[in-house]
Amino acid sequence: MIDKYIEKAKILLEALPYIQKFSGKTIVIKYGGAAMENKELQKLVATDIVLLKFVGINPVLVHGGGKEITSWLDKLNIKTEFIDGLRNTSQEAMEVTEMVLTGKVNKEIVGLINSAGGNAIGLSGKDGNMIQGEKIDEKKYGFAGNVTKINPNIILDTIAKGYIPVISTVAVNENNETLNINADYVASDIAISIQAEKLIYLSNVEGILNEKKEIIKQIIAEDAETLIKNGTISGGMIPKINSCLESIHGGVNNVHIISGEITHSILLELFTDFGIGTMIKKKE
Amino acid sequence: MIDKYIEKAKILLEALPYIQKFSGKTIVIKYGGAAMENKELQKLVATDIVLLKFVGINPVLVHGGGKEITSWLDKLNIKTEFIDGLRNTSQEAMEVTEMVLTGKVNKEIVGLINSAGGNAIGLSGKDGNMIQGEKIDEKKYGFAGNVTKINPNIILDTIAKGYIPVISTVAVNENNETLNINADYVASDIAISIQAEKLIYLSNVEGILNEKKEIIKQIIAEDAETLIKNGTISGGMIPKINSCLESIHGGVNNVHIISGEITHSILLELFTDFGIGTMIKKKE
Amino acid sequence: MIDKYIEKAKILLEALPYIQKFSGKTIVIKYGGAAMENKELQKLVATDIVLLKFVGINPVLVHGGGKEITSWLDKLNIKTEFIDGLRNTSQEAMEVTEMVLTGKVNKEIVGLINSAGGNAIGLSGKDGNMIQGEKIDEKKYGFAGNVTKINPNIILDTIAKGYIPVISTVAVNENNETLNINADYVASDIAISIQAEKLIYLSNVEGILNEKKEIIKQIIAEDAETLIKNGTISGGMIPKINSCLESIHGGVNNVHIISGEITHSILLELFTDFGIGTMIKKKE
Amino acid sequence: MIDKYIEKAKILLEALPYIQKFSGKTIVIKYGGAAMENKELQKLVATDIVLLKFVGINPVLVHGGGKEITSWLDKLNIKTEFIDGLRNTSQEAMEVTEMVLTGKVNKEIVGLINSAGGNAIGLSGKDGNMIQGEKIDEKKYGFAGNVTKINPNIILDTIAKGYIPVISTVAVNENNETLNINADYVASDIAISIQAEKLIYLSNVEGILNEKKEIIKQIIAEDAETLIKNGTISGGMIPKINSCLESIHGGVNNVHIISGEITHSILLELFTDFGIGTMIKKKE
Amino acid sequence: MIDKYIEKAKILLEALPYIQKFSGKTIVIKYGGAAMENKELQKLVATDIVLLKFVGINPVLVHGGGKEITSWLDKLNIKTEFIDGLRNTSQEAMEVTEMVLTGKVNKEIVGLINSAGGNAIGLSGKDGNMIQGEKIDEKKYGFAGNVTKINPNIILDTIAKGYIPVISTVAVNENNETLNINADYVASDIAISIQAEKLIYLSNVEGILNEKKEIIKQIIAEDAETLIKNGTISGGMIPKINSCLESIHGGVNNVHIISGEITHSILLELFTDFGIGTMIKKKE
Amino acid sequence: MIDKYIEKAKILLEALPYIQKFSGKTIVIKYGGAAMENKELQKLVATDIVLLKFVGINPVLVHGGGKEITSWLDKLNIKTEFIDGLRNTSQEAMEVTEMVLTGKVNKEIVGLINSAGGNAIGLSGKDGNMIQGEKIDEKKYGFAGNVTKINPNIILDTIAKGYIPVISTVAVNENNETLNINADYVASDIAISIQAEKLIYLSNVEGILNEKKEIIKQIIAEDAETLIKNGTISGGMIPKINSCLESIHGGVNNVHIISGEITHSILLELFTDFGIGTMIKKKE
């Protein structure tokens, strides 16, 4: 009986070197994909985040809205069209998008983290003038936008006061219009603006695959660029990896791509030698 | 020509005694009614709030959702019923209510304040575990709730960092369920929890009227209680005034009821000797 | 009736963009000329200063003694001579000068600011070793001196603690002798030493005039130098403008020359688009 | 393979409620007995301590010297006698005792904690005037003493600066003479002086046994007193339990008696529902 | 040769127990009488004050103007009359009194302290609204006044920033009129308002004398009261001693009366066992 | 009688210019030689150190163990051999060395300083990971080591909290082995790591002697190098002087070599114009 518990204590201690390494560091987690659709996984992610905070690491969550947005647009019979993989967002669709992202998805995550014993604060890009953007091409994409500037003060202020910031990826432009921004890009821009130690993409992708379709555990930024050039990385992965590389060039030490479908994937990636996805790092 | 400007300077200086009096004080403003329906009034209220902040006063906004909620419930064909003046809120209706309050109305106010040069942060009662509540009577009213506890830390922390908090009146209960709370009551509870100098109800009511239907400029809490007993205050005004009296008994120095239909009513009430509504105060 | 008050609120809000712009900035005001001779203007200047402080701007006053010194020298039958526009100050005259500047004029200004609800502290150049000087030419000018060093700590310390510093322009030399210093020069040296946003000369001059004897509203430092060279600026204005230019070259963003005879001239210059004098600025 | 790691993550999360509960709290650990004799156990205790610190708990170690002192006294042929269970300590023996406690045992613990990635500071009761004492009975016991006063500043100061204090139980009296003090008593006095959340006795005893010789998991202070009166607790356990009770009466919330022979006993006691020893607590 | 220096080091160390005892404490020194008339004594007092500051004690100087005021009134042919030992101060005389106190005597002391390597700041009772007063009896005494309130913030703020405050005893009343206040009383009121450790009257009196005309080294407040009742203390000493007693009752630990004619009397009184005057203390 | 005391006050004031000069500065004192062997000198040094602290200077003591180590090695019959002037330290000898340095000599100094009214904290190189080292040549010298890195945080932290750090010169290497380090070298490395104003070697040497065997009062670092080259400095003085020069090159302003046999030599060197040893300084 007691041996079982001693075994548990040993496992706790296996995490110690990782806790020491990341103590006081800030880690941006882009939260999306399967981990966000499934009620049970959502709860587990929330608990993982709270554990990080209590062992002295500062997690910052950035999330999109995924299927939830489509579902509400459908209920309201608002039709939207995808052009080149980007949603052409009308004003009406933008209103619904903002409400779902900021008033539903964001608050659900905040509620789950708080239920797990954490102290989260939900922020939209409008709060504290955090995310400023501009329309990409109004005629083609409507209110879909790009980031022009991140004002990181509100993130740093809320971390300093002990909160876990949960950020929905809505921006404003100079005319106080609301814009919809790709959450992957926002996560990268935020990680750079606060000079995060790590950026973790929690997604449906298991990581970067080599030619044999095996997950590459670690790769230097330059080598990842080569994989794009030689076609090993292709299709939808290209913008994702480019966003990773931009983070690295902007001063983020490591970017991880891990699967949100694996239970406790964040803890596995950070606190064990196992490593379940791909870590991209700067050439030393 | 120059005389016109000298006249302006004199008017600035007329505000000085009031600015001195309220310098460094916190003022909770319950924002609702006409001032929230009308685009033009919304902008003016936002500018008034920013002025308060820049002359050294700390405004805290508390808002409900009013007609906007009804409008979205209609669009989605969700029917709700009012029982004893309280909306019987189904889970579906609650989801929409939260989205509209927190993802639309709140963010519009934040956007307007920021456009006017302020630095606002939108908070729901879930953020920082701020508003905890319980269902009033689940069978009768569904997810309509009462406040059980206010945790004022997130309000105080964001004021200390220089932000203008804008609060949507959504609460959570112990099961992490979202509850809809009467914004007037939340405003009073928040004003007490942060020991605000003043609580201002910006509403469609001009103030408390005497028997001759004239606005009473100032009244002591005890006298307001007498007016309720002798029937001068009646109908829908009774719960509003009771909420005011509760604030006074809880330590808020003054509670004002002013009309949001009057342009710049907040500034008129705070910075001139005119006084456009009713001020309830503690017996000295 | 109410419209008159709404009008007043609008005028308050017209000042908001200027308040936002100068919020937290330090502004040195050289106080002299008509505004200092007239009891009524004195009170108005004090009130203007207090308003600045309460809307978040940090005013620093620097003053000379003007006619008051001459008047007390006369009462005491102490004769002084002006050589090249500089008073040849005997030890006896210096004693009287210091007493009038530091013990009378300074304390009157402090009293007026405090009466207007401010919190002023009177400082002489001796306090906190602030102004160090040397005699210009003892034989010719006696105890008239030049600034050799400004120690800005006491100014910064008193601002940090919330006071409005009011500075009389007396210096000490290495032998602990008291020196009389030109107040215009001290104001410029102080503005540089604390890297003030603005330096405002409140004087009997309306500003820099162009060839048609009209006030120039704004001028770049380089262009002001040209006006000196081509003779448009001449006579007693030359040292005044040189002192302005020195401030600009030392890092002060703008220097204003405005007439103290105009009621509320400081507020007009800072808080309206009117602009009553001349603003000298750095070439961008 | 991955399942094994997911299992580990789950075990980490089992500790979360305990980490949350003790976050920011101070825990005094009296370190002695088997855990201090055995090289391997020493290292494990050091690692446990470092883990506590990194998950946000403030451990304070208090240690005696045990067998090490006897061993060096033997090497030096210094004979000491035990009277009523107390070592009669001559001046010569006191010198050796202090050297071993403060110069050997203390520094070994500091070294082990630092090797495990912690940041320990070794303190004797002389440092910062921490432990003041008086001789019990000079003729009978020589330099054996009692605590007269604890000055907790140096403990609080080093915790505030992020160190793990490791305290050897040497005191000084008013004549600057060094005294040897019972480490159990010092631990209790220190826990009271810093109002620690918990005091843990890591000893050779498994806990308090009931009449059936089974470990009592939890007991209220009053009930422990009864067990002393009715003889269930007897012999050498009586002073130990009295010291526990004194801590409880002095404001320490819980006192634990656990066996140092069990691997990771500190973590088992704090971070699992298992509970390996006895916890004494205040009646609620 | 070296022995002479070792002797000096020993004398330094004799002061150590006193330095330790008063380290961090605040001591108000009422500066007047002979020590203020004589140039050489002035310099020595300034040096004593600077030494106090550098060894960690916070001196606060309070001074009157003495003969200097009379001398300037004479030069200006302003006649004043003493009624019951109080100067009937006309407005004209008040102007001169303020200039001499604040613009001459105060600045001389500031200059001497700064020359001795200190960092003094001269304050009048007007600065920071420090001393508020009221006229005693306008018809009889003109602008002679009593203290109604001390606002100690400016004294505490300047001590906190490392300055030595030097205070001239001028007050303002509610109409912003300047009043002349007895410096002994102000010193006592200030010592109480900042809860000083000690108040030292540096005067022409050697201390309290007993019936045999010998200086009483130490006396309990109650016993001093008895000496007044039985006539041992009489005449001009009565108000002085009453002012001392008021300080003691207001919370000042000790009040000293020492002669300013003795060189370095402050250091002798504070740093040696000699004690040159009388120390009045609270009954323990 | 009184004149004797006035004389004492004058001597106190003679120290003022030196106190002002070193106020707030940090001074490392290498404590060894005669001053450490003699009980009476020990007490005097402790008092000198406490005086420095109370007049606003921050002393840091670094000490070796000298004869005390040899004496205990003898008692324990542990033989050690000196090779090239360095003790070949076996593991057993190292254990004794550490115990004597850290558990005896260090604590004696701490006790003496505290008895003199100071607040000392004893630190070994292990505390706070302060001194990291490596073995010089294990075969030849055993556990004798060199410094590889000083981590000054614990010194700065304890000074900031008001303590007097007393440092024993024991280091750890990467394998958590204890090393014995030359105290002169450690003192120099520590003085550099905290950028001390001065380093004082309190030793058996009176200073650097010139060709006529007279003490050189002051010498520039370059000139001291010349004296080594031309043989004026020779033998055991060469490593001592090299250590001084290294400190100067590392940023320490002055290094003093003074005799610990002279009573109060630290005070004489710092607070009088006498100067009893040699001061080495940077070329200006």
Side-chain angles (χ1 to χ4, degrees), chain D residues 50-119:
Chain D
V50 173
L51 183 71
L52 293 189
K53 190 74 178 181
F54 270 93
V55 301
I57 299 167
N58 296 313
V60 173
L61 257 77
V62 177
H63 67 87
K67 297 184 182 161
E68 193 83 33
I69 294 170
T70 313
S71 147
W72 285 90
L73 289 172
D74 287 352
K75 286 187 196 173
L76 286 151
N77 281 318
I78 299 170
K79 299 215 162 19
T80 60
E81 198 186 349
F82 276 81
I83 301 173
D84 308 338
L86 211 67
R87 197 195 293 266
N88 178 351
T89 313
S90 65
Q91 173 139 19
E92 205 183 11
M94 186 66 240
E95 281 190 18
V96 176
T97 301
E98 185 181 20
M99 283 200 295
V100 174
L101 271 173
T102 301
K104 186 156 200 313
V105 178
N106 185 273
K107 293 310 162 195
E108 271 171 21
I109 302 172
V110 166
L112 287 168
I113 290 176
N114 290 353
S115 282
N119 198 1

Side-chain angles (χ1 to χ4, degrees), chain B residues 21 43 45 48 108-109 112 114 122 130 132 145 150 157 170:
Chain B
K21 196 170 162 192
K43 275 192 193 174
V45 168
D48 289 7
E108 270 170 21
I109 302 172
L112 286 168
N114 290 353
M130 193 201 326
Q132 282 148 39
I150 299 284
D157 285 345
V170 160

Side-chain angles (χ1 to χ4, degrees), chain A residues 30-133:
Chain A
K30 162 62 210 317
Y31 182 37
M36 220 169 79
E37 315 294 341
N38 175 310
K39 284 273 167 213
E40 208 43 52
L41 282 174
Q42 277 180 13
K43 275 192 193 174
L44 294 176
V45 168
T47 320
D48 289 9
I49 297 292
V50 173
L51 183 70
L52 293 189
K53 190 73 179 183
F54 270 94
V55 301
I57 299 166
N58 296 313
V60 174
L61 257 78
V62 177
H63 67 88
K67 296 186 182 161
E68 193 84 33
I69 294 171
T70 312
S71 147
W72 283 90
L73 288 173
D74 288 351
K75 286 187 196 174
L76 286 153
N77 281 317
I78 299 169
K79 300 216 162 16
T80 60
E81 198 186 348
F82 277 81
I83 301 173
D84 308 338
L86 211 67
R87 196 196 293 267
N88 177 353
T89 312
S90 66
Q91 173 138 17
E92 205 184 10
M94 186 66 239
E95 279 190 20
V96 175
T97 302
E98 185 181 20
M99 281 200 296
V100 173
L101 271 173
T102 301
K104 186 157 200 312
V105 177
N106 185 274
K107 293 310 161 194
E108 270 170 22
I109 301 172
V110 166
L112 287 168
I113 291 176
N114 290 354
S115 282
N119 197 1
I121 182 170
L123 299 173
S124 122
K126 290 182 175 174
D127 293 313
N129 293 299
M130 193 201 325
I131 311 176
Q132 282 147 39

Side-chain angles (χ1 to χ4, degrees), chain C residues 72 75-76 95-96 98-100 102-104 106-108 110-112 114-115 118-124 126-129 153-154 157-158 160-161 163 176, chain E residues 72 75-76 95-96 98-100 102-104 106-108 110-112 114-115 118-124 126-129 153-154 157-158 160-161 163 176:
Chain C
W72 285 91
K75 286 186 198 177
L76 287 152
E95 279 191 20
V96 176
E98 184 181 20
M99 281 200 295
V100 174
T102 300
K104 186 157 201 311
N106 186 273
K107 293 311 162 194
E108 271 170 20
V110 166
L112 287 168
N114 290 354
S115 282
N119 198 0
I121 182 170
L123 300 172
S124 120
K126 290 183 176 174
D127 293 312
N129 294 299
N153 288 339
I154 201 168
D157 286 343
T158 49
K161 289 285 186 183
Y163 299 96
N176 194 24
Chain E
W72 284 90
K75 286 186 197 176
L76 287 151
E95 279 190 20
V96 175
E98 185 181 19
M99 282 200 294
V100 173
T102 301
K104 186 156 201 309
N106 185 272
K107 293 310 162 193
E108 270 170 22
V110 166
L112 286 169
N114 291 353
S115 282
N119 198 0
I121 181 170
L123 299 172
S124 121
K126 290 183 176 174
D127 293 312
N129 293 299
N153 289 339
I154 201 168
D157 285 344
T158 50
K161 289 285 187 184
Y163 299 97
N176 195 24

Side-chain angles (χ1 to χ4, degrees), chain F residues 42-72:
Chain F
Q42 277 180 13
K43 275 193 191 175
L44 294 178
V45 168
T47 319
D48 288 7
I49 298 293
V50 173
L51 183 71
L52 293 188
K53 191 72 177 184
F54 270 93
V55 302
I57 299 167
N58 297 312
V60 173
L61 257 77
V62 177
H63 67 88
K67 297 186 181 160
E68 193 83 33
I69 294 171
T70 313
S71 148
W72 285 90

Side-chain angles (χ1 to χ4, degrees), chain A residues 107 114 120 122 127-128 157 163, chain B residues 107 114 120 122 126-128 157 163:
Chain A
K107 293 310 161 194
N114 290 354
D127 293 313
D157 284 344
Y163 299 97
Chain B
K107 293 311 163 196
N114 290 353
K126 290 182 175 174
D127 294 312
D157 285 345
Y163 298 98

